[in-house]
Amino acid sequence: MNEESLRAPGAPGVLSAPDVSVVVIVYNDEARLPTAVRSVLEQTLRNVEVVIVDDRSTDGSYDVARGLAAAHPSRVRAFQLERNSGGCGAPRNHGIAQARGTYLLFLDSDDVLERNACRNMLEAAETTGADLVSGMCVRVHVDSRSGKEVKWYPWLYAGTRTLESISELPDLLVFDTLSTNKCYRREFLAEQGLAFPVGIHYEDLLFSAQAYAAARRITLIPNRVYDWNVVDKAATKSISNRRAEIANFAHRMEIHRRVDQLLADKGLLELKFHKDVKFLKHDLVLHLRDLPFRDASYREEFAAIARDYLESIDRAAFDEVEPIHAICAYLLQKSDWDNLLPAVDTLTNRDKISSPMVERDGRIYWCVEHLDGHLGDDLDGHRDGDFARHVLDVTDLGYHAKPVEKMFLRNVLTTYEEDAGTVRLAGSITNPLGVVPPGARLTGELEFAARRKGVRFQIFRFPVATLRHEGEAIAWEASVDLARGLRPLGIVDAVWDVRLHLDVDGVRTTTRLTASEPGLADGQLPVRPRLTRLVADHVTPEISSRGHLSFRIVTREKVDALVEKGVRGAPGRFAKSGYRKAKAVRRKLTSGDTKIRLYHEVFSRLPVKKGLVVFESHLGRQYSDSPKAIYEEMRRQGLDFEAVWSYTGSGPSGFPADATLVRRWSLPYLKALAQAEFWVDNQSYPLKLTKRPETTYIQTWHGSALKRMGFDEPEWKLRSRPEQAEQQRTLDRFDRFLIRSEHDVRTLARAFRLKEKTLLRVGYPRNDALVQARRREEEVGHRERGSLAAALGIPGDKAVLLYAPTFRQHGGRQQRFELPFDVERFADTFGDRYVLLVRSHYLNHVVLPPSVRGRVIDVSAHHDVTPLLALADGLITDYSSVMFDYALLGRPMFFFAYDYEEYVHEGRGTYFDLLERAPGPVARTEEELHTALASLDEQAVKYAEAREGFVAEFGEYDKGNAAQSIVDQFFAQWRRG
């Protein structure tokens, strides 16, 4: 070993007992090493030493290290290994051996420590007696123009926490596998004999697992301690990012095996399960996404390495990951490339449907292969078939319920040929579950659009000459004369993406062209740029990181230097500066804060427009509820007014054609609100918008209250006074608040702290139709179902039940609501008598299996629930406010309160005990629900008196004329003539 500035303990100028030693490892990084060392020397904790270990660099890194040691002889020591180790393990181990501090940290030469890192970690270790202290690591994208920073698993570091065992927080071992954001008691490392593995990559995973498992106490602190500098456009990839090398994956698998063995030896099998889950949804995914870019020999070797390890994965872990993760792992284990590569396409492009799928026994499976297990009837074959069906079952993803226009279909490129400026393309579009029928009329066009948003006004389209239905796929062919047809500007629009629009009987779906085999698209095609052919006159195909075909303009070699000079010189800087300023202005103009300022400082100074009414229902998600009823009554009476409806989501489908439609939070929306004479909605317009005094706000609300609301909620009682005052300000915007019973006065009005003069005791306009439906039924002696039953395909001899539960907070990003009963069993039990309509809350969605078609129908997409209530012969709900509305019909009601204690005691609480007051049977289990549903007639008679009392208490002002009453009170002056 070579050493500079190595002195014996006690020598002049040397720290005899540093509190902390920071081991800085370096290899060929002479430029960044001083910054890393400086971040240690400038720590607010002064008694810190730096131990630099150079891994036999070939540049001047060691000379720089010796220079730093010479400049700071009392605080810096420098060492160099005799030969390059090729990894981080050997230099770190040498640093451990040379360190003299009570505690030890690791730092890479391209990263830095936060200024207070050593002080904060030392204090935590001394206070808690921890062997290991871990703090927040932040990934700093140094070449990002926006200064992008990403916290490393921040939920682990929400607050200070001390663990007596890693078993208390499995996620720490599973996710935070770094060694560099941690402070170790040096005696602990020595006692446990902890060292990094040498000669293998991903050494952090094993070292951190060993440290976690051995530590007698672990303390986590919420402080930022380590900045992991990431260069996204680095010419040389880091070891962990060299996934094109099969050895990289082999090393990762070997490290995972060693960690698994460690956990087994320590008896930490539960941690092994959590680690299995993370492997399936993270570690494996990193490599799977690269498979389309690798050749066949790489894929086969990759599968052989992965197969053995996948055998060790607990099968229960497959249930804890997203379906596509489990599917890819299973197909990889089977080396089923025909199905795996399309699955990887979906893994990379989450919304893409890349398999034709198959329906069996009312369930949807990713592919038909493997469903029956191995050949033969042996026991293992049956077990494997059961597991395959379990993993490959994608029914709950709802593919079978999507129309073709809502599908993002895989379009795999099968042919790419160039000839004299023309490119011939052919491909195959997946046809899942036959969503494109054989007799469909098919047309298509290829679209070339610049990737850069600022120049997307240039779009070029070419017809697709051939489209053929081939069962599980739609084959297509097209020839595109790019030399004549594509006219890029030539500089700012360097990359052009390709899409194929497929029209099926006039309905359009858009696909991207996926290149699933490396080397398929290659060559150069001439083009004629609009600016100058001196800059560029060719395009070349390239495949994006998501596997999609695109074309890049090739700058001509003879002017490369000129272009580079122009871009980097004064004109280029000026142009880029102007472009960045324009983008910044655009961002600022479209930001939420700017919109709020425009509303208050510009739009609110415009005159109020007499006769302008802005309607909104459920935050713009629906055309429904009482705002709809009031609007339609105004139209029925022929009032002269200007109507604006807000919408949100993908578009205004289902909203009225005779109104102006504006997207919620758009500038036209804000302008309309600022100038409106009336606001009519059932929930809340944006909270930060102040209502003008000249505007009347009619708040219809969206249901009587079972659960506690507003300031009665425990959460709001704990808020600060300023927060409560801000909430009250938004509630005070209401000029009128509709009341349907004195229960609303005691609950909603009190919870919102509304003044008596605000309350309007007229009932709910949305319920007029229900009151009138009951009257008609009583007058004529029978029910008329109307057109909705026919539209839904409900046979006349079957009764209709509507299941309408309240909102559930769980459900993940997609807010999918899992039905709390076996819907297939329900259909089998009651399908001969009932058709069940399922209406999830508008903030949730539900997926039904195809096996229940015709017997159970998802009606969640219907904007307005009132026609569904009117159609239903009976209602099944839990705690939803639809119970108060449906009661007006006098029909049977069933309450499925399977989670009553959780809802009442762990949630916000309720205003009354539903178990005592429900006007129908309350079922706590699926069996009880089935028993109650056995006879609608029996329940109708048994609870008739209870329903009448329920209506008297909670719907006393619902008389069937609420909408007319409101129009008469507020809008009568607009009657024509």
Side-chain angles (χ1 to χ4, degrees):
M1 302 289 177
N2 295 324
E3 178 186 347
E4 185 70 23
S5 194
L6 176 59
R7 300 178 176 85
V14 176
L15 296 170
S16 58
D19 289 325
V20 177
S21 294
V22 180
V23 174
V24 182
I25 63 170
V26 61
Y27 176 72
N28 285 356
D29 198 19
E30 59 182 329
R32 292 180 292 190
L33 177 60
T35 302
V37 172
R38 192 181 311 120
S39 75
V40 182
L41 297 177
E42 294 177 354
Q43 287 288 300
T44 54
L45 179 69
R46 304 302 298 170
N47 194 17
V48 178
E49 73 163 352
V50 183
V51 179
I52 305 175
V53 182
D54 176 66
D55 195 14
R56 208 55 163 175
S57 296
T58 58
D59 68 352
S61 295
Y62 185 48
D63 292 334
V64 171
R66 289 191 298 177
L68 291 166
H72 306 278
S74 64
R75 304 190 65 193
V76 179
R77 293 182 293 144
F79 302 86
Q80 185 180 55
L81 300 187
E82 292 180 351
R83 62 183 62 85
N84 176 252
S85 69
C88 301
R92 284 180 181 156
N93 289 339
H94 188 66
I96 294 173
Q98 298 297 334
R100 297 175 302 175
T102 305
Y103 296 91
L104 187 146
L105 281 75
F106 299 106
L107 174 64
D108 292 344
S109 61
D110 52 348
D111 300 330
V112 294
L113 291 182
E114 193 277 334
R115 192 164 180 263
N116 298 293
C118 291
R119 178 180 297 279
N120 288 332
M121 298 179 95
L122 175 67
E123 181 179 333
E126 294 290 282
T127 301
T128 65
D131 291 326
L132 187 160
V133 175
S134 190
M136 176 81 73
C137 171
V138 177
R139 286 171 59 95
V140 180
H141 294 258
V142 295
D143 54 354
S144 167
R145 292 178 179 177
S146 60
K148 178 182 175 182
E149 294 186 350
V150 180
K151 295 178 180 178
W152 187 253
Y153 300 113
W155 77 85
L156 297 171
Y157 299 98
T160 300
R161 180 175 181 179
T162 297
L163 311 173
E164 300 299 326
S165 167
I166 187 61
S167 297
E168 296 177 29
L169 187 61
D171 278 357
L172 183 61
L173 178 141
V174 170
F175 290 99
D176 189 357
T177 57
L178 301 178
S179 64
T180 48
N181 60 332
K182 297 171 177 60
C183 174
Y184 311 85
R185 191 183 300 274
R186 190 163 60 86
E187 286 186 2
F188 159 68
L189 297 180
E191 290 171 359
Q192 298 295 327
L194 295 183
F196 289 87
V198 177
I200 188 170
H201 303 324
Y202 302 103
E203 52 277 290
D204 269 24
L205 274 71
L206 181 57
F207 182 83
S208 61
Q210 291 172 329
Y212 285 140
R216 291 176 290 268
R217 184 170 293 164
I218 302 168
T219 295
L220 310 181
I221 60 174
N223 309 82
R224 180 174 184 163
V225 298
Y226 194 92
D227 282 5
W228 177 357
N229 290 330
V230 179
V231 182
D232 294 309
K233 299 176 182 177
T236 303
K237 291 185 178 293
S238 65
I239 291 172
S240 60
N241 285 326
R242 297 174 194 165
R243 293 192 292 273
E245 303 170 6
I246 194 65
N248 183 288
F249 184 63
H251 284 207
R252 186 188 286 269
M253 291 299 93
E254 176 58 26
I255 287 292
H256 273 283
R257 290 188 187 93
R258 295 187 190 184
V259 173
D260 291 347
Q261 187 60 54
L262 166 72
L263 298 178
D265 294 342
K266 296 282 188 179
L268 300 172
L269 297 182
E270 183 182 354
L271 293 182
K272 166 67 165 59
F273 175 77
H274 288 278
K275 182 178 162 297
D276 284 348
V277 173
K278 193 245 186 176
F279 175 82
L280 290 176
K281 69 181 183 181
H282 176 72
D283 300 75
L284 184 60
V285 169
L286 290 176
H287 293 268
L288 282 173
R289 285 175 175 162
D290 291 330
L291 284 183
F293 304 100
R294 308 289 174 248
D295 59 27
S297 62
Y298 178 98
R299 293 172 185 171
E300 291 299 335
E301 193 171 355
F302 176 84
I305 295 170
R307 193 177 300 116
D308 289 341
Y309 188 75
L310 287 170
E311 290 289 348
S312 71
I313 297 290
D314 189 333
R315 285 191 166 184
F318 283 71
D319 292 334
E320 302 299 319
V321 300
E322 293 185 36
I324 193 61
H325 292 154
I327 289 168
C328 285
Y330 180 81
L331 295 174
L332 174 63
Q333 195 171 358
K334 298 299 180 183
S335 294
D336 182 355
W337 299 107
D338 289 341
N339 287 305
L340 174 58
L341 290 177
V344 169
D345 200 358
T346 295
L347 185 69
T348 304
N349 303 278
R350 288 305 178 86
D351 296 327
K352 186 179 289 189
I353 303 175
S354 60
S355 171
M357 292 177 280
V358 64
E359 180 178 342
R360 270 199 184 181
D361 301 322
R363 307 296 294 177
I364 306 298
Y365 297 97
W366 184 262
C367 57
V368 69
E369 293 82 359
H370 318 292
L371 296 184
D372 299 321
H374 302 300
L375 292 176
D377 295 326
D378 58 280
L379 184 60
D380 289 338
H382 284 304
R383 288 175 178 170
D384 187 70
D386 290 342
F387 183 60
R389 284 189 291 275
H390 181 69
V391 170
L392 299 175
D393 189 331
V394 292
T395 309
D396 290 343
L397 297 183
Y399 293 130
H400 59 281
K402 286 188 175 184
V404 68
E405 65 269 23
K406 297 291 186 181
M407 291 182 168
F408 177 25
L409 302 176
R410 186 175 197 243
N411 183 354
V412 62
L413 190 66
T414 56
T415 300
Y416 181 96
E417 296 175 351
E418 296 179 3
D419 181 26
T422 297
V423 59
R424 189 172 77 84
L425 304 170
S428 179
I429 302 172
T430 300
N431 185 20
L433 301 169
V435 68
V436 180
R441 179 172 52 86
L442 305 177
T443 59
E445 66 178 6
L446 287 169
E447 176 186 280
F448 289 70
R451 182 174 297 175
R452 197 167 194 171
K453 292 182 179 179
V455 291
R456 282 189 182 169
F457 58 86
Q458 285 205 115
I459 295 177
F460 301 95
R461 296 184 175 92
F462 306 89
V464 174
T466 303
L467 284 161
R468 295 188 309 276
H469 196 292
E470 296 184 346
E472 292 186 342
I474 307 299
W476 62 271
E477 297 175 7
S479 293
V480 179
D481 187 351
L482 288 184
R484 294 179 178 274
L486 184 64
R487 296 297 308 279
L489 291 174
I491 298 176
V492 295
D493 50 355
V495 181
W496 289 76
D497 292 318
V498 189
R499 293 170 175 83
L500 189 150
H501 300 298
L502 175 67
D503 285 74
V504 181
D505 289 330
V507 176
R508 169 167 288 195
T509 186
T510 299
T511 70
R512 297 294 301 271
L513 276 58
T514 296
S516 61
E517 294 296 332
L520 175 63
D522 191 23
Q524 279 196 0
L525 290 156
V527 291
R528 296 182 298 161
R530 294 178 184 272
L531 293 181
T532 173
R533 295 180 68 181
L534 289 175
V535 174
D537 61 2
H538 282 78
V539 293
T540 185
E542 69 175 20
I543 308 304
S544 72
S545 61
R546 291 185 175 272
H548 298 142
L549 177 68
S550 61
F551 287 86
R552 179 178 293 276
I553 295 176
V554 182
T555 305
R556 297 176 66 182
E557 294 181 5
K558 63 183 180 181
V559 294
D560 275 350
L562 177 63
V563 173
E564 183 73 11
K565 181 179 178 181
V567 171
R568 297 190 180 278
R573 286 195 299 271
F574 177 78
K576 287 190 288 186
S577 174
Y579 178 71
R580 289 171 190 163
K581 287 179 180 177
K583 285 183 68 177
V585 169
R586 183 178 179 184
R587 281 196 302 268
K588 186 175 181 181
L589 286 175
T590 56
S591 70
D593 290 341
T594 299
K595 287 181 176 180
I596 293 171
R597 287 185 59 193
L598 282 170
Y599 172 84
H600 288 106
E601 298 176 12
V602 178
F603 297 148
S604 292
R605 294 181 180 179
L606 298 173
V608 169
K609 295 176 67 174
K610 293 298 182 180
L612 175 58
V613 186
V614 178
F615 296 88
E616 185 170 287
S617 178
H618 294 304
L619 308 177
R621 290 182 174 90
Q622 296 176 352
Y623 173 59
S624 67
D625 213 78
S626 293
K628 173 188 175 183
I630 294 172
Y631 171 75
E632 293 187 347
E633 177 64 19
M634 294 172 71
R635 288 297 190 203
R636 189 189 68 79
Q637 294 192 25
L639 302 188
D640 184 13
F641 69 106
E642 181 182 352
V644 172
W645 269 93
S646 84
Y647 70 90
T648 189
S650 58
S653 175
F655 284 79
D658 56 356
T660 300
L661 308 180
V662 295
R663 185 179 292 277
R664 199 171 195 266
W665 267 114
S666 67
L667 295 182
Y669 170 78
L670 297 175
K671 185 172 182 290
L673 283 177
Q675 293 192 274
E677 186 176 357
F678 285 90
W679 291 359
V680 180
D681 95 309
N682 67 350
Q683 196 155 343
S684 177
Y685 288 107
L687 301 181
K688 293 186 178 180
L689 302 185
T690 302
K691 183 185 71 67
R692 298 172 69 172
E694 305 96 319
T695 302
T696 299
Y697 188 169
I698 301 176
Q699 172 56 258
T700 70
W701 203 239
H702 52 275
S704 297
L706 169 62
K707 57 186 175 233
R708 294 188 177 275
M709 304 291 292
F711 290 102
D712 287 345
E713 295 181 49
E715 174 190 353
W716 275 104
K717 291 179 179 180
L718 298 175
R719 295 286 179 94
S720 66
R721 286 186 178 179
E723 288 175 319
Q724 291 193 15
E726 179 65 17
Q727 175 72 357
Q728 189 62 56
R729 185 191 69 80
T730 66
L731 296 170
D732 288 344
R733 296 181 301 174
F734 304 159
D735 293 298
R736 289 291 187 270
F737 187 90
L738 302 196
I739 296 295
R740 61 188 302 245
S741 71
E742 288 305 304
H743 169 76
D744 291 351
V745 177
R746 296 188 297 271
T747 56
L748 292 171
R750 187 189 68 182
F752 295 155
R753 299 176 181 174
L754 301 177
K755 298 180 176 64
E756 173 62 31
K757 66 179 182 179
T758 303
L759 308 183
L760 198 61
R761 292 172 170 84
V762 295
Y764 280 174
R766 73 181 186 191
N767 288 340
D768 290 347
L770 302 180
V771 175
Q772 294 163 11
R774 182 173 183 178
R775 286 176 183 164
R776 284 195 302 272
E777 188 175 338
E778 291 173 347
E779 288 172 1
V780 301
H782 66 274
R783 286 187 50 205
E784 296 179 358
R785 280 186 169 178
S787 60
L788 181 57
L792 293 173
I794 299 174
D797 61 344
K798 291 186 180 180
V800 179
L801 296 177
L802 173 65
Y803 177 50
T806 192
F807 172 64
R808 289 300 194 277
Q809 290 285 356
H810 51 74
R813 183 174 64 88
Q814 298 298 325
Q815 291 296 343
R816 191 168 73 221
F817 173 60
E818 300 290 345
L819 290 175
F821 56 87
D822 186 337
V823 68
E824 291 178 291
R825 180 189 172 200
F826 185 99
D828 291 341
T829 303
F830 297 108
D832 59 337
R833 285 179 281 172
Y834 306 140
V835 171
L836 178 67
L837 307 181
V838 176
R839 163 87 175 193
S840 63
H841 189 276
Y842 68 90
L843 292 176
N844 294 131
H845 78 271
V846 69
V847 174
L848 299 176
S851 59
V852 300
R853 285 193 190 106
R855 299 176 293 172
V856 183
I857 304 172
D858 180 12
V859 292
S860 303
H862 287 246
H863 278 246
D864 200 354
V865 72
T866 302
L868 299 170
L869 294 174
L871 173 63
D873 297 288
L875 173 72
I876 307 171
T877 187
D878 44 16
Y879 324 106
S880 172
S881 64
V882 297
M883 71 174 76
F884 302 105
D885 305 319
Y886 190 78
L888 296 168
L889 291 164
R891 301 173 193 165
M893 302 167 67
F894 305 86
F895 298 86
F896 189 27
Y898 59 93
D899 57 351
Y900 187 74
E901 282 76 15
E902 176 185 350
Y903 187 85
V904 173
H905 301 301
E906 298 180 19
R908 333 180 186 170
T910 59
Y911 286 114
F912 62 86
D913 189 344
L914 180 65
L915 300 184
E916 295 179 358
R917 307 278 290 282
V922 179
R924 306 297 296 275
T925 66
E926 189 170 343
E927 296 298 333
E928 292 178 0
L929 178 63
H930 281 213
T931 300
L933 291 172
S935 172
L936 286 181
D937 293 338
E938 179 183 336
Q939 301 297 344
V941 174
K942 183 176 180 180
Y943 287 92
E945 185 176 344
R947 288 195 301 273
E948 293 305 317
F950 199 75
V951 170
E953 181 172 2
F954 298 109
E956 58 186 299
Y957 301 128
D958 279 323
K959 304 300 182 184
N961 62 347
Q964 182 178 345
S965 175
I966 290 170
V967 171
D968 289 345
Q969 290 186 56
F970 296 98
F971 308 115
Q973 70 275 17
W974 297 341
R975 291 193 177 101
R976 290 185 174 91

